[in-house]
Amino acid sequence: MRRHLWTGAGLGFVGLGAVGAFLPLLPTVPFLLLAMVCFARGNPAWERRLLDHPTYGPSLRDWRERRAISRRAKKAALLAMALSVAVTAFTAGWPWVLIPLGVMALSGTWIWTRAE
């Protein structure tokens, strides 16, 4: 039963990652990392498929092996967060812009300080 729950959670995270591939403000790779963790416990064959994926596999393997994020991925993440801050500033205004700004300050700093 636990394997089915882990596999179901992994499929849910893959679904969120797939949506994130088309929506610029929703991240893809973090959801795929969560899916990889779930599949490792529920369906190792699907974990292997994620790791072997031609587009996302290298990022997932880099994170698993070295806790590394490529410079290109770092720049893309920070650009997406900056876009989110700008959209919030223009649509919701003050003080709501402080929320994505704070998230960007904390998570952006964490992302930028990871190995490459």
Side-chain angles (χ1 to χ4, degrees), residues 45-72:
W46 288 2
E47 176 197 23
R48 176 58 33 208
R49 286 182 71 182
L50 277 178
L51 291 170
D52 292 339
H53 190 276
T55 303
Y56 300 110
S59 296
L60 297 173
R61 287 190 303 272
D62 282 347
W63 181 256
R64 173 181 260 180
E65 295 166 6
R66 303 180 299 119
R67 297 291 191 248
I69 302 172
S70 70
R71 183 172 300 252
R72 182 174 179 231

Short mmCIF file of all heavy atoms in Angstrom, two decimals, residues 45-72:
data_model
loop_
_atom_site.label_atom_id
_atom_site.label_comp_id
_atom_site.label_asym_id
_atom_site.label_seq_id
_atom_site.Cartn_x
_atom_site.Cartn_y
_atom_site.Cartn_z
N ALA A 45 11.71 1.97 -11.15
CA ALA A 45 11.82 2.02 -12.62
C ALA A 45 11.43 3.41 -13.13
O ALA A 45 12.04 3.93 -14.07
CB ALA A 45 10.94 0.95 -13.25
N TRP A 46 10.43 4.01 -12.53
CA TRP A 46 10.03 5.36 -12.95
C TRP A 46 11.04 6.40 -12.50
O TRP A 46 11.25 7.40 -13.17
CB TRP A 46 8.64 5.68 -12.42
CG TRP A 46 7.56 4.92 -13.13
CD1 TRP A 46 7.74 3.99 -14.12
CD2 TRP A 46 6.18 5.01 -12.92
NE1 TRP A 46 6.53 3.50 -14.51
CE2 TRP A 46 5.54 4.10 -13.79
CE3 TRP A 46 5.39 5.74 -12.05
CZ2 TRP A 46 4.18 3.94 -13.84
CZ3 TRP A 46 4.02 5.57 -12.10
CH2 TRP A 46 3.42 4.69 -12.99
N GLU A 47 11.68 6.15 -11.37
CA GLU A 47 12.77 7.03 -10.94
C GLU A 47 13.88 7.01 -11.99
O GLU A 47 14.41 8.05 -12.38
CB GLU A 47 13.31 6.59 -9.59
CG GLU A 47 14.51 7.40 -9.14
CD GLU A 47 15.30 6.74 -8.03
OE1 GLU A 47 15.22 5.51 -7.86
OE2 GLU A 47 16.01 7.48 -7.33
N ARG A 48 14.21 5.84 -12.46
CA ARG A 48 15.25 5.69 -13.49
C ARG A 48 14.85 6.42 -14.77
O ARG A 48 15.68 7.06 -15.41
CB ARG A 48 15.48 4.19 -13.76
CG ARG A 48 16.44 3.86 -14.85
CD ARG A 48 17.86 4.37 -14.79
NE ARG A 48 18.45 4.51 -13.50
CZ ARG A 48 19.42 5.39 -13.19
NH1 ARG A 48 19.90 6.19 -14.11
NH2 ARG A 48 19.92 5.46 -11.99
N ARG A 49 13.57 6.35 -15.13
CA ARG A 49 13.10 7.05 -16.32
C ARG A 49 13.27 8.57 -16.18
O ARG A 49 13.64 9.25 -17.15
CB ARG A 49 11.64 6.72 -16.60
CG ARG A 49 11.46 5.32 -17.15
CD ARG A 49 10.03 5.02 -17.45
NE ARG A 49 9.60 5.78 -18.61
CZ ARG A 49 8.38 5.75 -19.10
NH1 ARG A 49 7.46 5.02 -18.52
NH2 ARG A 49 8.07 6.47 -20.16
N LEU A 50 13.00 9.08 -14.99
CA LEU A 50 13.22 10.51 -14.77
C LEU A 50 14.70 10.86 -14.89
O LEU A 50 15.07 11.86 -15.52
CB LEU A 50 12.72 10.93 -13.38
CG LEU A 50 11.26 11.25 -13.21
CD1 LEU A 50 10.96 11.60 -11.76
CD2 LEU A 50 10.83 12.38 -14.11
N LEU A 51 15.55 10.05 -14.29
CA LEU A 51 17.00 10.31 -14.34
C LEU A 51 17.55 10.18 -15.75
O LEU A 51 18.55 10.83 -16.08
CB LEU A 51 17.73 9.36 -13.39
CG LEU A 51 17.49 9.61 -11.90
CD1 LEU A 51 18.07 8.48 -11.07
CD2 LEU A 51 18.08 10.94 -11.48
N ASP A 52 16.91 9.38 -16.59
CA ASP A 52 17.37 9.19 -17.96
C ASP A 52 16.70 10.13 -18.95
O ASP A 52 16.99 10.08 -20.15
CB ASP A 52 17.12 7.74 -18.40
CG ASP A 52 18.01 6.76 -17.66
OD1 ASP A 52 19.05 7.18 -17.13
OD2 ASP A 52 17.66 5.56 -17.61
N HIS A 53 15.81 11.00 -18.48
CA HIS A 53 15.11 11.91 -19.37
C HIS A 53 16.12 12.83 -20.05
O HIS A 53 17.02 13.37 -19.39
CB HIS A 53 14.09 12.74 -18.58
CG HIS A 53 13.17 13.52 -19.46
ND1 HIS A 53 13.50 14.74 -19.97
CD2 HIS A 53 11.93 13.23 -19.92
CE1 HIS A 53 12.50 15.19 -20.70
NE2 HIS A 53 11.53 14.28 -20.69
N PRO A 54 16.01 13.01 -21.38
CA PRO A 54 17.03 13.81 -22.08
C PRO A 54 17.06 15.28 -21.68
O PRO A 54 18.13 15.90 -21.68
CB PRO A 54 16.64 13.66 -23.56
CG PRO A 54 15.27 13.12 -23.58
CD PRO A 54 15.03 12.43 -22.27
N THR A 55 15.94 15.85 -21.30
CA THR A 55 15.91 17.28 -20.94
C THR A 55 16.15 17.51 -19.46
O THR A 55 16.99 18.33 -19.08
CB THR A 55 14.55 17.90 -21.33
OG1 THR A 55 14.35 17.70 -22.73
CG2 THR A 55 14.52 19.39 -21.00
N TYR A 56 15.43 16.80 -18.61
CA TYR A 56 15.49 17.06 -17.17
C TYR A 56 16.44 16.15 -16.41
O TYR A 56 16.82 16.45 -15.29
CB TYR A 56 14.08 16.95 -16.57
CG TYR A 56 13.14 17.95 -17.19
CD1 TYR A 56 12.11 17.55 -18.02
CD2 TYR A 56 13.31 19.30 -16.96
CE1 TYR A 56 11.26 18.48 -18.61
CE2 TYR A 56 12.47 20.24 -17.55
CZ TYR A 56 11.45 19.81 -18.37
OH TYR A 56 10.61 20.72 -18.95
N GLY A 57 16.83 15.04 -17.01
CA GLY A 57 17.71 14.09 -16.35
C GLY A 57 19.03 14.68 -15.87
O GLY A 57 19.42 14.45 -14.72
N PRO A 58 19.73 15.45 -16.70
CA PRO A 58 21.01 16.01 -16.23
C PRO A 58 20.87 16.89 -14.99
O PRO A 58 21.68 16.80 -14.07
CB PRO A 58 21.51 16.82 -17.43
CG PRO A 58 20.89 16.14 -18.61
CD PRO A 58 19.53 15.69 -18.14
N SER A 59 19.82 17.72 -14.94
CA SER A 59 19.61 18.56 -13.75
C SER A 59 19.32 17.72 -12.52
O SER A 59 19.82 18.00 -11.43
CB SER A 59 18.45 19.52 -13.99
OG SER A 59 18.75 20.41 -15.04
N LEU A 60 18.51 16.69 -12.71
CA LEU A 60 18.16 15.81 -11.58
C LEU A 60 19.39 15.05 -11.08
O LEU A 60 19.60 14.92 -9.88
CB LEU A 60 17.06 14.83 -12.00
CG LEU A 60 15.72 15.47 -12.39
CD1 LEU A 60 14.78 14.41 -12.95
CD2 LEU A 60 15.11 16.20 -11.23
N ARG A 61 20.20 14.56 -12.01
CA ARG A 61 21.42 13.83 -11.61
C ARG A 61 22.41 14.75 -10.93
O ARG A 61 23.03 14.37 -9.93
CB ARG A 61 22.05 13.14 -12.82
CG ARG A 61 21.28 11.93 -13.29
CD ARG A 61 22.06 11.13 -14.33
NE ARG A 61 22.42 11.93 -15.50
CZ ARG A 61 21.65 12.10 -16.58
NH1 ARG A 61 20.46 11.55 -16.62
NH2 ARG A 61 22.07 12.83 -17.59
N ASP A 62 22.57 15.97 -11.46
CA ASP A 62 23.48 16.94 -10.81
C ASP A 62 23.06 17.20 -9.37
O ASP A 62 23.90 17.28 -8.48
CB ASP A 62 23.51 18.26 -11.57
CG ASP A 62 24.35 18.22 -12.81
OD1 ASP A 62 25.13 17.26 -12.97
OD2 ASP A 62 24.23 19.16 -13.63
N TRP A 63 21.76 17.37 -9.15
CA TRP A 63 21.29 17.63 -7.80
C TRP A 63 21.51 16.42 -6.91
O TRP A 63 21.96 16.55 -5.77
CB TRP A 63 19.82 18.03 -7.80
CG TRP A 63 19.36 18.32 -6.41
CD1 TRP A 63 18.60 17.53 -5.62
CD2 TRP A 63 19.70 19.46 -5.62
NE1 TRP A 63 18.43 18.11 -4.39
CE2 TRP A 63 19.09 19.30 -4.36
CE3 TRP A 63 20.46 20.60 -5.86
CZ2 TRP A 63 19.22 20.24 -3.35
CZ3 TRP A 63 20.58 21.53 -4.84
CH2 TRP A 63 19.96 21.34 -3.61
N ARG A 64 21.21 15.24 -7.42
CA ARG A 64 21.35 14.03 -6.60
C ARG A 64 22.81 13.75 -6.24
O ARG A 64 23.12 13.40 -5.12
CB ARG A 64 20.78 12.84 -7.35
CG ARG A 64 21.06 11.54 -6.60
CD ARG A 64 20.52 10.38 -7.33
NE ARG A 64 19.26 10.05 -6.69
CZ ARG A 64 18.50 9.08 -7.07
NH1 ARG A 64 18.81 8.37 -8.10
NH2 ARG A 64 17.41 8.82 -6.42
N GLU A 65 23.69 13.93 -7.20
CA GLU A 65 25.09 13.56 -6.99
C GLU A 65 25.89 14.64 -6.27
O GLU A 65 26.77 14.32 -5.47
CB GLU A 65 25.74 13.24 -8.34
CG GLU A 65 25.14 12.02 -9.00
CD GLU A 65 25.52 11.89 -10.46
OE1 GLU A 65 26.35 12.70 -10.95
OE2 GLU A 65 24.99 10.98 -11.11
N ARG A 66 25.65 15.92 -6.58
CA ARG A 66 26.50 16.98 -6.05
C ARG A 66 25.76 18.12 -5.39
O ARG A 66 26.36 19.11 -4.99
CB ARG A 66 27.36 17.57 -7.18
CG ARG A 66 28.21 16.57 -7.90
CD ARG A 66 29.05 17.18 -9.03
NE ARG A 66 28.24 17.80 -10.07
CZ ARG A 66 28.29 19.08 -10.39
NH1 ARG A 66 29.08 19.90 -9.78
NH2 ARG A 66 27.53 19.56 -11.36
N ARG A 67 24.41 18.03 -5.32
CA ARG A 67 23.58 19.13 -4.82
C ARG A 67 23.91 20.41 -5.60
O ARG A 67 24.04 21.50 -5.04
CB ARG A 67 23.78 19.37 -3.32
CG ARG A 67 23.37 18.22 -2.45
CD ARG A 67 21.86 18.08 -2.48
NE ARG A 67 21.37 17.14 -1.47
CZ ARG A 67 20.83 15.97 -1.76
NH1 ARG A 67 20.72 15.58 -3.00
NH2 ARG A 67 20.38 15.19 -0.82
N ALA A 68 24.04 20.25 -6.93
CA ALA A 68 24.46 21.35 -7.79
C ALA A 68 23.31 21.81 -8.69
O ALA A 68 22.47 21.02 -9.09
CB ALA A 68 25.65 20.92 -8.65
N ILE A 69 23.32 23.10 -9.01
CA ILE A 69 22.37 23.71 -9.94
C ILE A 69 23.20 24.43 -10.98
O ILE A 69 24.09 25.22 -10.65
CB ILE A 69 21.44 24.71 -9.22
CG1 ILE A 69 20.68 24.02 -8.08
CG2 ILE A 69 20.47 25.35 -10.20
CD1 ILE A 69 19.90 24.99 -7.20
N SER A 70 22.91 24.18 -12.25
CA SER A 70 23.69 24.82 -13.32
C SER A 70 23.49 26.33 -13.30
O SER A 70 22.46 26.84 -12.84
CB SER A 70 23.29 24.26 -14.69
OG SER A 70 22.00 24.71 -15.04
N ARG A 71 24.46 27.04 -13.82
CA ARG A 71 24.38 28.51 -13.86
C ARG A 71 23.17 28.94 -14.70
O ARG A 71 22.47 29.87 -14.36
CB ARG A 71 25.66 29.11 -14.43
CG ARG A 71 25.63 30.62 -14.41
CD ARG A 71 26.97 31.19 -14.80
NE ARG A 71 27.99 30.75 -13.87
CZ ARG A 71 28.57 31.53 -12.97
NH1 ARG A 71 28.22 32.78 -12.88
NH2 ARG A 71 29.50 31.06 -12.17
N ARG A 72 22.93 28.24 -15.78
CA ARG A 72 21.78 28.56 -16.64
C ARG A 72 20.46 28.40 -15.86
O ARG A 72 19.56 29.24 -15.97
CB ARG A 72 21.79 27.65 -17.86
CG ARG A 72 20.69 27.92 -18.82
CD ARG A 72 20.86 27.07 -20.08
NE ARG A 72 19.77 27.33 -20.98
CZ ARG A 72 19.03 26.41 -21.54
NH1 ARG A 72 19.27 25.15 -21.31
NH2 ARG A 72 18.05 26.74 -22.35
#
